[in-house]
Amino acid sequence: SHRLAILAGIAHGTSHIEGFLDSEDCLHTLEAMAALGARVQRDGAAVRIEGTSGSLQQPAAPIDCGNSGTGMRLLTGLLAGFPVSARLFGDSSLHSRPMRRILEPLARMGATVRAEGPDGRPPIHIEGGALQGIDYAPPVASAQVKSCLLLAGLRARGVLRITEPAPSRDHTERIFRALGLP
C-alpha cells in the first residue's frame, strides 16, 4: 500500500486502489503524498489518487511519518530525486531507528540527505535534486533499502544496479513490472 500510494502520487492521471491497507502507517504515507501535491480521496479500503504527473510540490510543513519506517525510507528515496526541500519526522519510536543504511547510498547517488538525530537517526532533511545511478551492493538484504533506492533511481541519470547478498521481498519490483517501469 505504501508503494502504490507513492507511485500513484507521481503518476499521470487518476489511480483507483482497492484493498488499501487501512493502517496508521499507510495512512501517513497517503497524507505525505497529499502534502506533496497528489489529490487523495479515501473511502475505507478504496483509495482514489490523482497523481502529480511526475512532479512534486514543495511541502508547506514537515511531513509526519508517524511510526512508519517503511514510509520514511521510501519517501526519502522518492524525495531525493525531486527539486524540493523536505523534512521527515515521526514518533519517538521511529526516531530511534537507524537510517544510515539509506542515507549512505543516496549520498553516493548525489542526494543531499542528512539525519538530524544522533547516529544517523531521524528526523531526516532532504534537499532533492539531480541523481546519478550507481552500482550498490548492500551489506544485508533489505526490501526497504532496495525500494528506497529504486524510487530514487526513477529520477536518476544512468543505470542503478543493486546486487543483494540474498533475496529480499520484491514488492517494489513487482509493482514496477506491472506499471511498465524500468
Side-chain angles (χ1 to χ4, degrees):
S1 292
H2 291 286
R3 291 155 177 84
L4 289 173
I6 289 169
L7 291 169
I10 61 172
H12 299 284
T14 302
S15 300
H16 300 272
I17 303 168
E18 298 291 331
F20 192 86
L21 182 60
D22 189 22
S23 73
E24 200 171 308
D25 284 1
C26 293
L27 295 178
H28 277 289
T29 299
L30 272 182
E31 292 169 5
M33 294 314 297
L36 295 165
R39 292 191 179 149
V40 176
Q41 294 177 330
R42 188 173 69 89
D43 183 11
V47 175
R48 180 179 178 272
I49 300 174
E50 186 178 327
T52 62
S53 296
S55 63
L56 294 177
Q57 74 181 23
Q58 177 65 42
I63 295 174
D64 184 359
C65 295
N67 187 34
S68 181
T70 300
M72 181 171 277
R73 289 181 181 109
L74 299 186
L75 288 166
T76 300
L78 176 75
L79 291 166
F82 284 90
V84 297
S85 175
R87 183 176 185 265
L88 304 178
F89 73 99
D91 67 13
S92 60
S93 174
L94 182 56
H95 285 203
S96 71
R97 297 187 209 164
M99 296 290 161
R100 190 170 286 138
R101 60 190 182 144
I102 64 166
L103 300 178
E104 290 174 358
L106 286 172
R108 284 187 47 206
M109 292 178 75
T112 303
V113 290
R114 66 179 163 79
E116 296 176 7
D119 198 31
R121 288 171 168 45
I124 295 178
H125 184 79
I126 304 135
E127 293 288 336
L131 300 177
Q132 181 66 43
I134 60 171
D135 285 332
Y136 185 65
V140 289
S142 167
Q144 290 181 6
V145 171
K146 177 175 59 175
S147 296
C148 167
L149 298 178
L150 288 171
L151 288 167
L154 289 174
R155 302 271 301 179
R157 282 176 272 135
V159 174
L160 168 66
R161 184 173 294 110
I162 302 167
T163 306
E164 296 182 282
S168 66
R169 290 168 291 149
D170 63 348
H171 307 311
T172 304
E173 295 98 303
R174 288 176 184 219
I175 293 170
F176 274 26
R177 277 192 297 275
L179 297 175
L181 295 170

